[in-house]
């Protein structure tokens, strides 16, 4: 069985980060080892959430794993909350990323043209340096612009603009780029995938859903990670990840009393299992 490390926070209620990554990647038949960066009572869309920083526990966990001689087929980082955690990830990559280990960085720090609360432009540039150590990065448009120090465009861009972003992101050092949240009209939304070694760009678009939900980016990155580790080509892995997000949102909207804070990805797990065979 393939084995990965995923490093991100635990939001005890909210369906994001580790509470998404662990069940989703495990359902895909991949052993999922976790390093929690923090524990929150809920995700940050709630008011008054509690927060406990676990930065001090990260290195001891890694030291123990290294002593045990554990091997991992992939390392997948999600939400990282500080400069110190970024530096710890570089050391983790150095300690555990062997020649056959795929490093995937989802630079979770911004959306809709704004950095998340507590993050600065300096942090975005530091995240860009972490991305230089990755095989695959999975930013949305906002995160891409922040890491490159460019002005964010919500609308009015074309394929040439996106292709230029992809090449600039590859210039950070990552081998493969998956850029999320691309919209050329109000009917479809999609992703662009760039393989710098092959100098090839692939596109995938699907219907734009009527409602957006917290945590769908984490679902996408988790499915992508599981699929890539199972040997799926990147463009197929991205399609599966996007389709699973759409399926999860669709099932959520079928419920008149759906939770506002996350999608019903649990009932879509059979769809994922069937399509990742």
């Amino acid at each position: 069985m393939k084995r990965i490390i995923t490093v991100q926070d635990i939001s005890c209620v909210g369906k994001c980060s580790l509470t998404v990554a662990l069940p989703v990647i495990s359902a895909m038949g991949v052993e999922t080892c976790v390093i929690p960066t923090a524990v929150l009572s809920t995700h940050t869309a709630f008011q008054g959430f509690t927060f406990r920083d676990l930065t001090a526990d990260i290195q001891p966990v890694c030291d123990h794993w290294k002593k045990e001689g554990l091997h991992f087929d992939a390392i997948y980082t999600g939400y990282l909350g500080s400069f110190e955690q970024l530096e710890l990830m570089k050391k983790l990559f150095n300690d555990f990323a062997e020649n056959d280990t795929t490093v995937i960085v989802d630079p979770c720090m911004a959306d809709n043209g704004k950095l998340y609360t507590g993050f600065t432009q300096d942090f975005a540039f530091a995240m860009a340096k972490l991305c230089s150590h990755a095989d695959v990065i999975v930013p949305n448009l906002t995160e891409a612009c922040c890491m490159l120090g460019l002005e964010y465009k919500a609308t009015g861009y074309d394929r040439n603009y996106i292709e230029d972003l992809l090449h600039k992101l590859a210039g950070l050092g990552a081998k493969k780029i998956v850029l999320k949240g691309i919209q050329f009209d109000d009917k479809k939304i999609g992703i662009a995938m760039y393989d710098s070694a092959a100098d090839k760009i692939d596109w995938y678009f699907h219907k734009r859903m009527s409602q957006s939900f917290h945590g769908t980016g984490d679902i996408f990155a988790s499915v992508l990670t599981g699929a890539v580790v199972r040997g799926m080509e990147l463009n197929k892995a991205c399609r599966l990840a996007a389709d699973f997000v759409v399926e999860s949102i669709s099932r959520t909207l079928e419920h008149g009393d759906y939770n506002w804070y996350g999608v019903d990805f649990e009932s879509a797990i059979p769809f994922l299992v069937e399509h990742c065979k």
Side-chain angles (χ1 to χ4, degrees):
M1 179 180 286
K2 298 289 188 178
R3 177 192 293 137
I4 76 156
I5 305 170
T6 184
V7 188
Q8 44 195 312
D9 68 277
I10 298 174
S11 291
C12 298
V13 171
K15 299 188 180 184
C16 66
S17 303
L18 280 181
T19 58
V20 164
L22 179 57
V24 166
I25 300 173
S26 295
M28 298 177 75
V30 177
E31 181 182 350
T32 310
C33 305
V34 304
I35 298 181
T37 59
V39 177
L40 294 79
S41 56
T42 66
H43 65 53
T44 56
F46 287 83
Q47 298 295 316
F49 58 87
T50 66
F51 176 90
R52 181 174 293 276
D53 182 24
L54 298 179
T55 301
D57 296 294
I58 294 174
Q59 193 56 52
V61 170
C62 293
D63 291 342
H64 184 210
W65 287 357
K66 191 173 181 180
K67 183 178 179 181
E68 293 295 324
L70 296 174
H71 170 75
F72 299 94
D73 298 285
I75 301 169
Y76 155 41
T77 66
Y79 185 95
L80 301 169
S82 67
F83 289 95
E84 184 178 359
Q85 289 185 356
L86 295 179
E87 292 303 313
L88 284 168
M89 291 308 99
K90 294 175 186 176
K91 187 173 189 311
L92 184 148
F93 297 165
N94 185 64
D95 287 345
F96 293 102
E98 301 176 32
N99 291 335
D100 59 346
T101 304
T102 302
V103 176
I104 300 171
V105 173
D106 184 2
C108 301
M109 60 180 174
D111 203 0
N112 298 314
K114 296 181 179 180
L115 287 161
Y116 295 152
T117 300
F119 290 140
T120 64
Q121 185 56 55
D122 285 342
F123 184 86
F125 289 146
M127 179 64 80
K129 292 180 179 179
L130 180 67
C131 287
S132 72
H133 298 270
D135 297 299
V136 183
I137 61 172
V138 196
N140 59 36
L141 272 175
T142 303
E143 290 157 348
C145 290
C146 288
M147 289 193 295
L148 295 170
L150 300 175
E151 182 180 357
Y152 168 75
K153 289 185 179 181
T155 59
Y157 52 81
D158 58 15
R159 289 200 176 210
N160 289 333
Y161 172 79
I162 297 300
E163 290 178 4
D164 183 58
L165 278 182
L166 291 170
H167 285 99
K168 287 177 177 175
L169 287 166
L172 297 176
K175 301 177 182 67
K176 297 180 180 180
I177 315 299
V178 178
L179 186 58
K180 305 176 294 183
I182 300 168
Q183 299 181 73
F184 297 126
D185 57 48
D186 59 0
K187 295 180 180 179
K188 292 185 177 181
I189 188 169
I191 52 181
M193 300 148 275
Y194 178 53
D195 183 335
S196 62
D199 195 22
K200 181 183 178 183
I201 297 175
D202 289 306
W203 306 81
Y204 185 59
F205 290 88
H206 55 78
K207 176 183 176 183
R208 186 169 183 253
M209 305 302 288
S210 61
Q211 182 75 23
S212 60
F213 290 91
H214 193 95
T216 51
D218 298 335
I219 294 173
F220 179 94
S222 297
V223 175
L224 170 66
T225 299
V228 167
V229 170
R230 287 175 56 92
M232 196 175 290
E233 293 182 0
L234 183 65
N235 60 348
K236 292 182 179 179
C238 288
R239 285 167 167 78
L240 176 61
D243 289 345
F244 182 67
V245 169
V246 170
E247 181 71 15
S248 298
I249 294 175
S250 297
R251 289 173 181 259
T252 304
L253 295 175
E254 289 174 359
H255 306 302
D257 59 345
Y258 61 79
N259 293 322
W260 62 268
Y261 54 77
V263 294
D264 183 13
F265 75 88
E266 296 92 339
S267 68
I269 290 288
F271 169 94
L272 177 61
V273 172
E274 178 64 27
H275 285 79
C276 73
K277 288 180 179 177

